[in-house]
Amino acid sequence: MSLNHVRPWRNIYRRKSRQIMVGNVAIGGDAPIAVQTMTNTLTTDVAGTVAQVLAAAEAGADIVRVSVPDEASSRALKEIVAESPVPIVADIHFHYRRGIEAAEAGAACLRINPGNIGDEKRVREVIAAARDHGCSIRIGVNAGSLERHLLEKYGEPCPEAMVESGLEHIRILEDNNFDNFKISVKASDVFLSAAAYQGIAEATDAPIHLGITEAGGLVSGTIKSAIGLGNLLWMGIGDTIRVSLSADPVEEVKVGYEILKSLGLRHRGVNIISCPSCARQGFDVIKTVEALEKRLEHIKTPMSLSIIGCVVNGPGEALMTDVGFTGGGAGSGMVYLAGKQSHKLSNDQMVDHIVEQVEKKAAELEAAQEAAE
Ligand code: SF4
């Protein structure tokens, strides 16, 4: 149960954005913040791309983006869309025909910059195709590919230039009576990104897609994204997020959820609270948590589990979690259920037993949720 009404210091007041639909996923307004990722296979490798889409969806991706660089990719996109359980966003650059083909192929959203897909007539054709096929559009401003006239005006990529670029693209869509769009203003620099996003958040009520572009590898990119996206989300800015990592898309989804979970903005699966361990630990905390993370990947119900090495912090943490285990020494520890001390358990049975307890609790929570609906 959320206790935010008695803990105002936990509240995040989300910016009020208008809501759009990306396929069957609502973005903006009071919709949950959607988690996205992007495939890194060749789009023409339909089997490989579909496998990545399925893995990302299984990990919790609400939406998956796929690059459409050529005509063969547009043809492949149709097959990928047909097999995807989640809406597919087509990533389009420069070629207006790809935008039209992607809309015809069933993409739920086109990621384009209206300013870089050709003259006005071509832009109008892409917008018409999006409208005809119920496609939304994401305007994707990127500090690395700002228009020449803005670079000349501002001298370098800066928040003002990025916001101006975003507003110019918004104007093109609005001039064509198209308001089914969201916007991103990404940069690889955290300060530049955060300032640009704050600027665009004030200038429009369009839903915002958050991302720190080219964030880096799994560890460095995760930290950069957590700082950049975390700060913006904390300010209430952001309706959908994509964590960009030089890593498997599944990792991007996991990191995205962890960022949202840390801020209490979205919950999925088991939130494991564990101590770093030290000489006082009554069992091997690190190995145990690694094993539990793998064994509990299939649980989608939001719930909490504390795995703490000793009684210094164990009982206190267990009070606030659905299932808890605290090391006690002499080869055994204490299991806590719903915050209450329940029974002793020997360390060698612990992983299997905790998995059972978590599965049982998840089933109870799901049944309670169904009964409430
Ligand atoms: S909870 Fe106990 S085992 Fe874990 S880090 Fe703290 S003192 Fe060490």
Side-chain angles (χ1 to χ4, degrees):
M1 186 181 79
S2 166
L3 289 174
N4 286 6
H5 60 293
V6 292
R7 295 177 182 148
W9 39 270
R10 296 184 67 126
N11 283 340
I12 290 178
Y13 298 97
R14 280 178 68 188
R15 159 184 170 267
K16 286 197 187 341
S17 57
R18 68 163 187 270
Q19 193 169 83
I20 66 159
M21 296 301 291
V22 173
N24 58 1
V25 177
I27 304 289
D30 57 2
I33 296 172
V35 175
Q36 309 199 18
T37 185
M38 185 168 179
T39 54
N40 56 25
T41 47
L42 274 179
T43 303
T44 46
D45 171 10
V46 172
T49 305
V50 167
Q52 263 197 356
V53 170
L54 292 177
E58 181 60 27
D62 300 297
I63 296 168
V64 176
R65 180 157 47 118
V66 173
S67 248
V68 186
D70 47 34
E71 211 181 328
S73 300
S74 299
R75 285 194 294 273
L77 186 71
K78 192 169 185 178
E79 294 178 55
I80 294 161
V81 166
E83 293 190 49
S84 173
V86 294
I88 296 290
V89 178
D91 196 74
I92 311 290
H93 287 283
F94 312 122
H95 302 287
Y96 85 107
R97 284 283 338 151
R98 299 292 91 74
I100 295 170
E101 288 161 6
E104 290 169 352
C109 177
L110 306 178
R111 183 268 158 139
I112 56 167
N113 280 351
N116 81 9
I117 54 168
D119 61 25
E120 236 190 284
K121 183 172 165 284
R122 290 178 166 180
V123 173
R124 273 205 305 275
E125 282 184 50
V126 175
I127 295 172
R131 199 191 323 272
D132 289 350
H133 293 88
C135 250
S136 54
I137 286 179
R138 166 158 70 96
I139 296 169
V141 174
N142 197 308
S145 54
L146 281 172
E147 295 79 358
R148 186 186 295 270
H149 73 277
L150 291 172
L151 287 175
E152 279 166 8
K153 177 174 173 186
Y154 290 98
E156 61 173 3
C158 60
E160 294 78 10
M162 292 170 70
V163 171
E164 194 166 325
S165 171
L167 293 178
E168 282 177 8
H169 289 124
I170 285 178
R171 206 168 307 124
I172 296 172
L173 294 182
E174 288 180 343
D175 285 350
N176 284 279
N177 299 317
F178 191 91
D179 62 3
N180 190 18
F181 64 86
K182 56 193 170 118
I183 184 161
S184 62
V185 282
K186 296 188 184 185
S188 57
D189 178 88
V190 167
F191 293 102
L192 180 52
S193 266
Y197 271 114
Q198 286 175 73
I200 204 75
E202 279 172 22
T204 173
D205 70 346
I208 287 182
H209 167 117
L210 284 189
I212 303 292
T213 196
E214 291 123 24
L218 184 55
V219 174
S220 56
T222 295
I223 292 168
K224 217 180 196 186
S225 299
I227 292 171
L229 305 192
N231 268 297
L232 288 161
L233 290 164
W234 202 325
M235 286 181 225
I237 296 171
D239 300 291
T240 175
I241 65 170
R242 189 250 171 140
V243 172
S244 300
L245 300 175
S246 306
D248 190 312
V250 165
E251 299 297 336
E252 295 190 349
V253 177
K254 285 185 189 170
V255 173
Y257 271 99
E258 288 306 324
I259 292 172
L260 294 177
K261 277 190 214 171
S262 302
L263 291 168
L265 287 166
R266 197 143 172 211
H267 304 277
R268 183 181 198 274
V270 185
N271 186 20
I272 301 183
I273 289 135
S274 59
C275 75
S277 78
C278 72
R280 289 181 197 274
Q281 65 181 350
F283 62 98
D284 189 331
V285 175
I286 294 176
K287 274 208 179 113
T288 304
V289 170
E290 267 174 23
L292 285 170
E293 276 181 345
K294 281 213 174 68
R295 296 269 308 266
L296 296 173
E297 262 180 357
H298 65 292
I299 305 278
K300 297 185 174 72
T301 312
M303 58 180 291
S304 53
L305 166 67
S306 56
I307 300 293
I308 308 288
C310 79
V311 292
V312 170
N313 289 326
E317 290 294 351
L319 279 180
M320 297 180 279
T321 48
D322 295 306
V323 176
F325 182 82
T326 296
S332 67
M334 183 59 67
V335 176
Y336 293 76
L337 299 175
K340 293 195 177 69
Q341 193 169 314
S342 175
H343 52 278
K344 246 180 136 178
L345 178 69
S346 80
N347 290 350
D348 52 8
Q349 295 169 358
M350 180 192 166
V351 172
D352 286 343
H353 186 76
I354 295 292
V355 169
E356 264 172 42
Q357 293 295 333
V358 169
E359 285 173 341
K360 198 170 144 209
K361 184 73 192 178
E364 280 170 26
L365 290 169
E366 272 167 41
Q369 176 73 23
E370 271 168 32
E373 281 169 3

